[in-house]
């Protein structure tokens, strides 16, 4: 996901001691859903996709996109803008094997990149999830309450950044909250 | 209290490092390692506080959390902290404290005269007195006289944090047992062990030991702890709460010990701890004995005397007398003598005491008074003498003739109680152990074990012989709860007034309430109750301890959640435009939404009426983005929605919109909105702004639990789209000034239709639905273009005088039109037939959620509260939501007004309401009462504005 991690695409949100927070720009976000209660639906989607979608609690890189598991039969796709149409067409291509939907949520959401040696401390102040080493590692993903709001946390396997995706309308709140917490880290 | 000139050599303080501090305006000097309490005692200060109710002089009573007297106001101004225990406040250079609840100071307090009126101020006197003329007359006076510290009046400049942590084993208490438990748990290298202790350093009771071998053991234990990577040690951390599922809350004092503004970073951290297993090594607390005037300064727990002597190196008196009912106090007395502090006497209520102890006491030149009780203490600002009498009949009566013993420090010990607060909070059961006169932990469902003294495993036998109350002495001056001035007579009174449950007695007398939380008073109180009501102590039982174990700073609960981020908020895509337009924002759920856009000099009513009139006469623009937008996709989408909605969805054509109601299983209306059929297998469902999350969950619940076979996906698209409502007779003219590939003409784009296309080059969705009664376009574009669309429509509408309007103005407009607002015009009982939907229910052939409930007798009652318009007889009269609509008897409520505004268009108040049997009472007169005023009016069909709907169809 080169464009996603490109420094030029980032807009700084402020750094605390030990953590760096950037709002990710230049990336499309999509919600991929499949009617998973139908036997073989997910496997059928994978066949069409030519890749295995991540299992519960995982984030996987597929064709330059990060797929974050957010619930049974549901993933958030973070991909370069040029790749979005291909993902949006996926349900049509898979129509013969499963019911699926892929919808744009770039406007509906905001993604922050968080990194730094105090990353786990920051996360532990926002959520009750166990973020200690061994419990939250690259490749892990979860949908949880973070700083009091719904958020998707994904740690791409080859990255030192954790991706934090929230509703767009709450991005300002979250940025302010993170700055306040980061100031005391 | 004796002033200590030179600290004892074995003390754990740095006597070479003096620290200056002030108390009640007077300057003193302590040393590094002192607490405020030890430093005050070192300076010979005996009176440190005044009691809560009677303003009795009080001195230091204990040395830790169990302190019930020495509460001080710490620091002035923004850093001030009320009710700080002097025993838990580490001394720092420049510390400034003052006494509480006293004037002019704690040493000479005018409120002390209240002691003369003690007989008139028994437990819960305020429930029985100050009735004339009313309580409020007296409340201010009572509150001034009774109380503890003062809350800060300015903003706290310090910061606080909250943090979560997970551990496999959490050990609470860093004494010998806790350290052993932590080391044992850490034997498993995979186990994450968290060791928490509330003192400045690990060691627990070992810190009060004068023996070199104990110190050596402690140093070695610390070294071993440090060698384990999987042990995290947090000192200055008090576990205050034990919640279900083994979740603990602990307060870590990060920089308090540096004083105001000292140290870097936050002042305190509130830990939320998720434990797989908990070990409680919380030790035990010594209890006081209950005897006349046992609350004087200079009377303290024997364990505290041990602490102050050996840990802080103080010599508290020249004439130290011990008063006990168990062996531990004897050992303390003998240890004092061994390390150079003479003890004059030991008074013990027991007839016989271990011979070895007697022999050692004789060897230490300590006078021993067995089978004796202290019957009074003498001294104004500190104890000077005690009067003792011989006990007869196994301690049931006293022999006449008291003997006076000089003393300047009375160290008492009424036995020990395991510190079982957290165990009790965890739902654990306590059982009374007769032999030691204490409650010990027994059963619990929590994943916890209790070790050491907290489990009643005392190192050496106590041989306790309880004496809960001194016989043949008035109970009125035998204190049980020092903090709240609860005496034995108060407990007697409670029992006389038939408060026999220990929980009731606690609340009636306040014994064990507030800061103290019964640490020293609980067992004594319930034992006295037991004697009075003639039931065994185990039958009386204990109160259930509840969080917090120790007071927690409110700032720590808030953490960073202050000011703007006090609670999560949501911003509209065009938020900045609203700010620029001067909007007044309010919270609607988490959304910050414009209520109205006031102009200079306008009141709320003026602004709302101006905006509403402008919409009626021209055009207005509203940010409608929070409107819930769910997309329902799949081959069974129609079937699914037909079951979810009351309306018949099967007849909807592509591009058509339809207003619908959602019911719960009880047939109650829970949401409404406009549905749009986008394609054969795709619907766009609008919900109320606040209801989108709940309706999405409602749908998912039915799909996942009841109808898993329906091939349907639910997509929440609410935030993807910015939605603006352009409404008014000139709305179309304004919209036409933007470029679009959609035919916006009245003929091509009718009311309740939906189109997709582009607007100014942006992808857009336009719904012709109206919540104002005017021609309206609900225009949605991707949220990133929301601000641009707002600006474009404002620019395009300049010629027509477009105005931004807020939610309150929208509410006025829809009330004029008679449109209901679910949640405002409905309540938890409203069924669709109450809203006039009986015909729609009858006409729908298919089943839907809630249908069965509608046909139950409760749903057929003709006197149900039904939705109606209300027209006031006097056009100038005003009424407001919440006003009662009276029955024919003019006394009882027949309903209430749900929405009411003054309509600038109609020149009178328009109101909607829920009124009993309103559908059959149309035209009838009613009386409306609000704020004492009565108005006459009549029930009318909702919708005073454009009743035929000609305008919105234009």
């Amino acid at each position: 996901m080169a464009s996603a991690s490109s420094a030029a695409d980032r807009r700084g949100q402020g750094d605390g001691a030990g953590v760096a927070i950037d709002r990710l720009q230049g990336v499309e976000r999509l919600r991929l859903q499949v009617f998973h209660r139908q036997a073989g639906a997910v496997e059928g989607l994978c066949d069409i996709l030519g890749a295995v979608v991540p299992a519960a609690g995982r984030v996987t890189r597929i064709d330059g996109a990060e797929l974050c598991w957010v619930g049974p039969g549901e993933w958030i796709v973070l991909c370069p803008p040029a790749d979005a149409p291909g993902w949006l067409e996926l349900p049509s291509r898979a129509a013969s094997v499963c019911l699926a939907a892929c919808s744009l949520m770039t406007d509906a959401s905001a993604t922050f990149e968080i990194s730094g040696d105090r990353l786990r401390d920051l996360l532990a102040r926002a959520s009750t999830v166990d973020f200690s080493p061994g419990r939250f590692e690259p490749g892990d993903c979860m949908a949880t309450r973070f700083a009091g709001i719904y958020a998707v946390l994904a740690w791409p396997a080859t990255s030192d950044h954790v991706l934090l995706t929230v509703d767009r309308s709450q991005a300002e709140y979250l940025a302010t909250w993170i700055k306040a917490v980061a100031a005391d880290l | 209290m004796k002033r200590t000139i030179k600290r004892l050599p074995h003390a754990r303080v740095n006597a070479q490092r003096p620290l200056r501090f002030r108390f009640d305006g007077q300057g003193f000097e302590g040393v590094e390692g002192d607490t405020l309490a030890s430093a005050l005692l070192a300076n010979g200060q005996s009176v440190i506080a005044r009691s809560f109710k009677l303003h009795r002089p009080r001195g230091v009573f204990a040395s830790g959390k169990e302190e019930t007297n020495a509460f001080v106001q710490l620091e002035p101004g923004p850093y001030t902290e009320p009710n700080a225990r002097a025993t838990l406040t580490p001394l720092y250079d420049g510390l400034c404290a003052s006494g509480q609840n006293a004037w002019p100071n704690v040493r000479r307090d005018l409120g002390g005269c209240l002691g003369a009126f003690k007989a008139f101020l028994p437990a819960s006197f305020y429930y029985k007195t100050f009735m004339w003329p009313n309580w409020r007359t007296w409340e201010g006076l009572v509150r001034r006289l009774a109380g503890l510290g003062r809350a800060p009046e300015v903003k706290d400049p310090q910061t606080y944090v909250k943090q979560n942590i997970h551990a496999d084993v959490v050990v609470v208490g860093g004494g010998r047992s806790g350290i052993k438990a932590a080391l044992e748990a850490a034997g498993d290298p995979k186990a994450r062990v968290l060791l928490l202790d509330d003192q400045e350093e690990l060691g627990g009771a070992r810190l009060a030991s004068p023996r070199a071998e104990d110190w050596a053991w402690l140093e070695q234990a610390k070294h071993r702890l440090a060698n384990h990577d999987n042990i995290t040690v947090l000192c200055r951390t008090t576990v205050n709460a034990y919640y279900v599922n083994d979740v603990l809350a602990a307060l870590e004092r990060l920089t308090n010990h540096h004083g105001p503004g000292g140290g870097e970073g936050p002042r305190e951290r509130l830990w939320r701890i998720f434990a797989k297993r908990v070990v409680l090594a919380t030790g035990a607390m010594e209890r006081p004995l209950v005897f006349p005037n046992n609350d004087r300064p200079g009377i303290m727990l024997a364990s505290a005397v041990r602490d102050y002597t050996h840990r802080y190196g103080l010599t508290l008196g020249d004439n130290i007398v011990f008063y006990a009912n168990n062996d531990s106090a004897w050992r303390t007395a003998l240890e004092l003598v061994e390390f150079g502090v003479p003890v004059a006497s030991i008074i013990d209520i027991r007839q016989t005491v271990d011979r070895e102890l007697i022999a050692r006491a004789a060897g230490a030149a300590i006078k021993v008074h067995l089978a004796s009780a202290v019957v009074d203490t003498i001294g104004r600002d500190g104890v000077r003498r005690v009067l003792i009498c011989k006990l007869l009949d196994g301690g049931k009566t006293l022999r006449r003739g008291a003997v006076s013993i000089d003393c300047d420090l009375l160290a008492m010990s009424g036995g020990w109680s395991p510190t079982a607060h957290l165990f009790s909070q965890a739902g654990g059961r306590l059982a009374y152990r007769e032999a030691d006169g204490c409650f010990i932990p027994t059963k619990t469902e929590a994943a916890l074990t209790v070790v050491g003294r907290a489990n009643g495993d005392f190192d050496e036998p106590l041989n306790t012989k309880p004496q809960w109350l001194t016989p043949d002495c008035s109970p009125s001056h035998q204190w049980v709860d020092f903090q709240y001035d609860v005496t034995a007579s108060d407990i007697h009174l409670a029992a006389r007034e038939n408060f026999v449950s220990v929980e009731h007695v606690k609340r009636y007398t306040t014994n064990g309430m507030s800061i103290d939380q019964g640490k020293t008073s609980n067992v004594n109180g319930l034992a006295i109750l037991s004697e009075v009501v003639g039931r065994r102590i185990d039958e009386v039982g204990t109160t259930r301890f509840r969080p917090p174990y120790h007071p927690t700073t409110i700032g720590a609960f808030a953490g960073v959640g202050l000011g703007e981020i006090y609670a999560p908020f949501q911003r509209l895509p065009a938020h900045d435009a609203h700010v620029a337009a001067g909007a007044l924002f309010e919270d609607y759920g988490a959304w910050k939404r414009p209520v109205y856009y006031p102009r200079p000099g306008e009141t709320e009513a003026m602004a709302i009426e101006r905006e509403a009139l402008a919409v009626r006469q021209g055009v207005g623009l509203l940010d409608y983005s929070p409107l819930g937008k769910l997309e329902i996709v799949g081959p069974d989408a129609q079937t699914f929605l037909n079951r979810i909605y009351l309306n018949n969805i099967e007849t909807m054509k592509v591009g058509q919109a339809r207003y619908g109601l959602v019911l719960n299983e009880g047939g109650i209306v829970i949401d409404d909105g406009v549905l749009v059929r986008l394609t054969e297998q795709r619907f766009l469902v609008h919900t109320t702004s606040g209801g989108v999350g709940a309706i999405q969950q409602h749908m998912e619940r039915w799909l996942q639990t009841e109808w898993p076979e329906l091939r349907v996906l639910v997509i929440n698209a609410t935030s993807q789209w910015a939605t603006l409502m352009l409404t008014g007779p000139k709305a179309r003219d304004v919209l036409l000034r933007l470029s679009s590939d959609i035919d916006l003409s009245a003929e091509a784009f009718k009311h309740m239709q939906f189109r997709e296309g582009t607007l100014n080059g942006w992808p857009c969705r336009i719904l012709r639905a109206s919540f104002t009664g005017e021609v309206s376009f609900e225009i949605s574009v991707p949220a990133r273009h929301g601000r641009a669309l707002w600006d474009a429509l404002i620019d395009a509408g300049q010629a027509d005088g477009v105005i931004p309007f807020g939610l309150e103005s929208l509410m006025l407009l829809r009330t004029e039109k008679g449109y209901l607002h679910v949640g405002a015009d409905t309540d938890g009982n409203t069924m669709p037939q109450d809203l006039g939907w009986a015909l729609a229910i009858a006409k729908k052939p298919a089943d839907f959620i809630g249908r069965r409930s509608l046909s139950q007798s409760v749903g057929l009652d003709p006197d149900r509260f039904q939705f109606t318009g209300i027209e006031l007889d006097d056009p100038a009269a005003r009424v407001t939501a919440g006003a009662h609509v009276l029955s024919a008897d003019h006394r009882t409520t027949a309903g209430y007004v749900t929405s009411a505004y003054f309509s600038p268009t109609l020149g009178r108040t328009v109101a909607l309401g829920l009124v009993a049997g309103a559908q059959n009472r149309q035209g009838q007169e009613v009386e409306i009462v609000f704020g004492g005023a009565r108005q006459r009016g009549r029930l009318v069909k909702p919708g005073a504005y454009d009743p035929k709907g000609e305008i919105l169809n234009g």
Side-chain angles (χ1 to χ4, degrees):
Chain A
M1 201 168 60
S3 62
S5 55
S6 158
D9 285 338
R10 291 187 206 142
R11 182 163 62 88
Q13 292 291 310
D15 297 337
V19 288
I21 305 118
D22 290 307
R23 187 163 171 175
L24 201 59
Q25 301 285 316
V27 172
E28 292 284 5
R29 286 173 291 274
L30 306 102
R31 185 180 300 277
L32 176 63
Q33 292 167 270
V34 61
F35 184 69
H36 64 99
R37 291 191 288 278
Q38 178 191 331
V42 176
E43 292 77 6
L45 183 77
C46 292
D47 288 345
I48 301 295
L49 188 59
V52 178
V53 293
R58 303 293 292 169
V59 53
T60 304
R61 194 174 181 84
I62 298 175
D63 290 341
E66 299 290 355
L67 259 71
C68 313
W69 180 93
V70 293
E74 191 169 337
W75 300 267
I76 288 178
V77 181
L78 294 105
C79 68
D83 295 349
W87 285 97
L88 290 168
E89 288 166 8
L90 181 61
S92 305
R93 291 194 284 133
S96 60
V97 293
C98 64
L99 167 64
C102 189
S103 30
L104 268 173
M105 55 174 287
T106 309
D107 286 79
S109 56
T111 299
F112 293 87
E113 278 186 332
I114 312 174
S115 60
D117 55 359
R118 303 297 303 277
L119 169 66
R120 292 180 193 277
D121 280 335
L122 175 76
L123 300 179
R125 293 190 185 184
S127 169
T128 58
V129 171
D130 190 351
F131 290 110
S132 46
R135 268 73 174 185
F136 185 62
E137 294 290 346
D140 288 340
C141 176
M142 70 193 67
T144 185
R145 260 181 105 71
F146 189 92
I149 60 176
Y150 174 85
V152 175
L153 273 164
W155 193 340
T158 56
S159 173
D160 60 350
H161 297 92
V162 167
L163 300 173
L164 175 62
T165 302
V166 298
D167 193 277
R168 177 197 186 100
S169 65
Q170 293 168 323
E172 190 67 32
Y173 159 76
L174 188 69
T176 310
W177 190 95
I178 288 176
K179 276 183 192 172
V181 169
D184 273 336
L185 278 175
Chain B
M1 192 65 63
K2 184 184 176 184
R3 186 161 177 265
T4 297
I5 305 297
K6 191 178 175 190
R7 305 289 178 120
L8 294 172
H10 58 272
R12 287 181 80 86
V13 292
N14 182 3
Q16 308 307 314
R17 173 115 205 285
L19 300 173
R20 290 185 177 81
F21 70 100
R22 297 184 73 79
F23 179 72
D24 256 356
Q26 222 178 322
F28 297 101
E29 196 174 279
V31 298
E32 188 178 66
D34 261 335
T35 62
L36 175 59
S38 67
L40 286 167
L41 289 171
N43 284 276
Q45 295 300 301
S46 54
V47 180
I48 289 172
R50 289 278 165 166
S51 68
F52 177 79
K53 188 165 74 175
L54 300 173
H55 289 242
R56 285 174 68 90
R58 293 284 169 78
V60 174
F61 159 84
S63 56
K65 291 179 300 296
E66 68 273 38
E67 175 61 46
T68 66
N69 287 341
F71 298 117
V72 299
Q73 187 86 28
L74 199 57
E75 302 299 340
Y79 294 97
T80 195
E81 180 184 344
N83 310 327
R85 278 179 166 89
T87 54
L88 297 178
T89 304
L91 194 69
Y92 48 83
D93 206 30
L95 183 148
C96 183
S98 56
Q100 299 182 158
N101 197 30
W103 190 86
N105 57 53
V106 291
R107 287 181 298 278
R108 298 283 176 266
D109 174 25
L110 285 183
C113 63
L114 279 170
F117 302 98
K118 183 182 182 305
F120 302 103
L121 303 170
S124 295
F125 67 94
Y126 38 83
Y127 291 143
K128 305 169 187 170
T129 52
F130 306 113
M131 298 299 174
W132 184 87
N134 55 51
W135 162 247
R136 284 192 176 180
T137 307
W138 304 97
E139 185 179 2
L141 176 69
V142 172
R143 289 200 188 282
R144 271 197 299 279
L145 285 173
L148 295 167
R150 298 175 67 176
E153 293 172 354
V154 290
K155 188 180 174 187
D156 185 351
Q158 301 160 111
T159 59
Y160 301 83
V161 294
K162 290 195 287 190
Q163 192 156 342
N164 303 294
I165 189 169
H166 293 250
D168 297 298
V169 181
V170 175
V171 181
V172 184
R176 189 191 57 175
S177 300
I179 291 172
K180 281 173 69 178
L183 288 169
E184 193 179 307
D188 175 0
K190 289 181 183 170
R192 292 172 297 173
V193 181
L194 188 59
L195 175 59
L196 308 167
D197 190 74
D198 59 357
Q199 298 205 59
E200 297 295 298
E201 57 178 322
L202 293 175
R206 284 284 186 281
L207 296 173
S209 172
R211 301 186 189 285
E213 59 265 32
D214 284 332
W215 289 28
W217 178 89
L218 186 56
E219 289 310 311
Q220 193 184 21
K222 285 181 181 175
H223 186 68
R224 289 179 65 197
L225 289 168
N227 283 340
H228 281 85
D229 290 340
N230 57 341
I231 299 180
T232 303
V233 178
L234 294 177
C235 286
R236 300 192 186 99
T237 305
T238 307
V239 178
N240 282 328
Y242 196 126
Y243 299 111
V244 70
N245 291 331
D246 305 299
V247 176
L248 284 70
L251 185 74
E252 182 183 11
R253 297 175 294 283
L254 296 166
T255 58
N256 306 45
H257 55 290
H258 294 301
E264 285 185 6
R267 179 179 184 237
E268 292 175 349
R269 170 161 38 199
L270 186 65
W271 288 98
R272 182 157 45 177
I273 303 164
F274 298 83
K276 284 189 179 159
R277 190 162 67 84
V278 178
V279 178
L280 294 182
T282 44
M285 289 185 213
E286 201 168 32
R287 293 192 301 266
L289 282 160
V290 181
F291 56 92
N293 292 315
N294 55 346
D295 66 327
R296 286 195 198 286
I299 302 176
M300 64 172 71
L301 295 172
S303 55
V305 174
R306 183 174 189 249
D307 263 350
Y308 290 121
T309 303
H310 301 309
R311 184 172 176 181
Y312 300 102
L314 307 182
T315 305
L316 296 172
D318 292 323
N319 259 321
I320 301 176
V321 173
F322 277 70
Y323 180 32
N325 67 353
N326 66 83
D327 288 355
S328 83
W330 286 68
R331 295 188 193 103
T332 300
L334 291 166
E335 193 179 59
L336 253 63
V337 176
E338 183 184 346
F339 284 86
V341 178
V343 172
S345 308
I346 298 177
I347 305 160
D348 200 310
I349 66 163
R350 293 175 296 177
Q351 191 88 39
T352 56
V353 173
D354 182 77
R355 283 185 181 179
E356 188 195 333
L357 290 175
I358 298 267
R360 287 176 61 195
I366 300 174
K367 285 183 188 168
V368 173
H369 305 268
L370 297 182
S372 300
V374 175
V375 296
D376 206 352
T377 63
I378 312 295
R380 184 189 166 101
D381 292 341
V383 65
R384 296 283 172 262
R385 285 184 294 134
V386 295
L387 302 180
I388 66 169
C389 281
K390 277 286 178 189
L391 286 160
L392 303 173
D393 301 332
K396 290 177 185 165
T397 57
L398 291 175
R399 180 194 292 169
R400 287 194 174 185
V403 175
S404 174
I405 298 177
D406 289 343
C407 85
D408 54 3
L409 178 73
L410 182 64
M412 60 180 164
S413 177
W416 290 80
S417 297
T419 309
H421 295 64
L422 295 175
F423 179 82
S424 178
Q425 288 178 23
R429 293 192 175 189
L430 301 170
Y432 185 65
R433 183 197 278 173
E434 192 83 41
D436 293 318
C438 64
F439 283 87
I440 58 164
T442 55
K443 286 188 293 187
T444 176
E445 302 297 321
L448 76 85
T449 49
V450 189
V451 298
R453 294 192 302 163
N455 198 36
D457 301 330
F458 301 107
D459 297 337
E460 294 173 284
L462 298 177
N463 296 316
T464 307
K465 180 182 182 296
Q467 176 186 271
W468 305 117
L469 188 63
T470 305
D472 294 341
C473 295
S474 166
S476 65
H477 280 77
Q478 300 192 44
W479 264 260
V480 181
D481 184 326
F482 291 30
Q483 183 204 336
Y484 264 146
D485 272 334
V486 179
T487 60
S489 62
D490 292 324
I491 294 169
H492 288 186
L493 174 68
R496 282 201 305 278
E497 299 195 348
N498 209 28
F499 290 95
V500 291
S501 157
V502 66
E503 295 284 0
H504 293 162
V505 170
K506 172 183 173 179
R507 281 145 189 90
Y508 188 72
T509 63
T510 66
N511 188 60
M513 290 177 69
S514 189
I515 306 169
D516 171 64
Q517 283 296 296
K519 291 182 178 69
T520 56
S521 61
N522 188 285
V523 174
N524 284 341
L526 67 91
I528 292 169
L529 178 68
S530 152
E531 287 181 348
V532 179
V533 298
R535 286 186 291 156
R536 296 198 318 267
I537 290 177
D538 58 337
E539 289 175 340
V540 170
T542 61
T543 52
R544 173 78 176 267
F545 293 103
R546 291 174 302 172
Y549 166 67
H550 184 73
T552 305
T553 315
I554 292 174
F557 285 116
V560 299
L562 300 167
E564 188 185 10
I565 52 173
Y566 170 73
F569 61 81
Q570 291 179 272
R571 278 196 177 166
L572 299 166
H575 179 85
D576 293 344
H578 305 312
V579 173
L584 181 86
F585 290 89
E586 273 189 17
D587 294 342
Y588 291 83
W591 286 101
K592 302 277 181 198
R593 302 183 70 177
V595 191
Y596 52 89
Y597 300 77
R599 290 178 179 171
E602 275 188 339
T603 62
E604 177 179 348
M606 289 161 67
I608 292 168
E609 288 167 21
R610 172 184 52 77
E611 289 177 5
L613 204 57
V615 171
R616 292 275 182 246
Q617 295 173 349
V619 59
L621 186 62
L622 173 90
D623 197 329
Y624 213 32
S625 299
L627 179 73
K629 295 173 272 283
L630 300 175
E631 292 192 23
I632 315 300
V633 181
D636 298 321
Q638 175 185 292
T639 305
F640 172 63
L641 289 175
N642 210 38
R643 295 179 189 177
I644 291 286
Y645 279 83
L646 177 154
N647 314 65
N648 191 353
I649 307 300
E650 291 175 343
T651 57
M652 281 185 72
K653 294 183 172 57
V654 172
Q656 191 183 355
R658 181 169 294 173
Y659 174 75
L661 291 179
V662 186
L663 316 182
N664 64 16
E665 297 91 317
I668 306 301
V669 177
I670 57 171
D671 205 74
D672 69 343
V674 175
L675 295 87
V676 178
R677 186 159 205 163
L678 300 174
T679 67
E680 283 299 323
Q681 296 189 9
R682 194 179 193 100
F683 289 79
L684 170 62
V685 167
H686 294 100
T687 73
T688 52
S689 302
V692 60
I695 293 300
Q696 185 181 10
Q697 285 183 3
H698 177 73
M699 290 179 172
E700 287 289 357
R701 180 166 66 87
W702 283 92
L703 282 172
Q704 292 178 27
T705 63
E706 302 297 327
W707 308 320
E709 74 285 0
L710 290 185
R711 289 159 48 86
V712 174
L713 296 171
V714 179
I715 303 160
N716 189 341
T718 302
S719 295
Q720 178 68 13
W721 301 90
T723 303
L724 304 182
M725 178 198 286
L726 188 66
T727 182
K730 296 178 181 173
R732 181 176 288 106
D733 298 340
V734 174
L735 190 55
L736 282 168
R737 293 189 189 115
L738 272 60
S739 64
S740 178
D741 56 0
I742 300 170
D743 186 348
L744 298 166
S745 65
E747 299 74 27
F749 195 1
K750 296 183 186 304
H751 182 57
M752 295 308 278
Q753 288 190 335
F754 177 86
R755 298 287 184 270
E756 287 185 273
T758 60
L759 192 66
N760 271 13
W762 307 307
C764 84
R765 292 171 160 184
I766 304 178
L767 171 65
R768 271 215 57 196
S770 178
F771 200 34
T772 61
E774 301 295 335
V775 169
S776 296
F777 297 89
E778 294 177 5
I779 310 155
S780 296
V781 294
R784 76 186 78 172
H785 304 305
R787 170 70 197 265
L789 176 63
W790 176 273
D791 291 341
L793 287 170
I794 290 287
D795 287 347
Q798 287 302 314
D800 294 303
V802 67
I803 56 116
F805 69 102
L807 267 186
E808 273 304 300
S809 308
L810 177 69
M811 291 297 115
L812 191 166
L813 293 163
R814 65 99 192 157
T815 303
E816 288 177 333
K817 181 61 184 165
Y819 287 147
L820 81 96
H821 184 207
V822 171
D825 299 309
T826 64
D827 60 22
N829 291 312
T830 306
M831 291 178 161
Q833 61 265 39
D834 304 327
L835 306 174
W837 281 61
L839 191 61
I841 299 165
K843 284 174 66 176
K844 179 164 179 176
D847 207 357
F848 57 89
I849 294 170
R851 177 162 213 158
R852 180 178 168 277
S853 299
L854 302 181
S855 59
Q856 301 297 305
S857 57
V858 67
L860 303 174
D861 181 357
D863 285 331
R864 290 182 59 78
F865 278 18
Q866 293 167 337
F867 184 56
T868 182
I870 300 168
E871 188 176 293
L872 301 180
D873 289 351
D874 178 2
R878 303 291 171 100
V879 72
T880 186
H884 283 255
V885 178
L886 297 188
S887 303
D889 63 5
H890 300 288
R891 291 176 60 197
T892 53
T893 294
Y896 56 95
V897 175
T898 53
S899 303
Y901 294 88
F902 179 77
S903 164
T905 304
L906 301 171
R908 60 179 169 82
T909 294
V910 287
L912 303 171
L914 287 170
V915 178
Q919 286 166 8
N920 293 326
R921 294 177 58 197
Q922 291 294 292
Q924 284 187 12
E925 284 198 350
V926 291
E927 194 171 31
I928 301 141
V929 179
F930 185 79
R934 291 177 179 239
Q935 303 290 341
R936 296 201 68 80
R938 58 196 173 87
L939 303 181
V940 296
K941 187 180 175 188
Y945 178 76
D946 185 27
K948 293 182 180 172
E950 292 164 338
I951 294 172
L952 64 83
N953 283 307

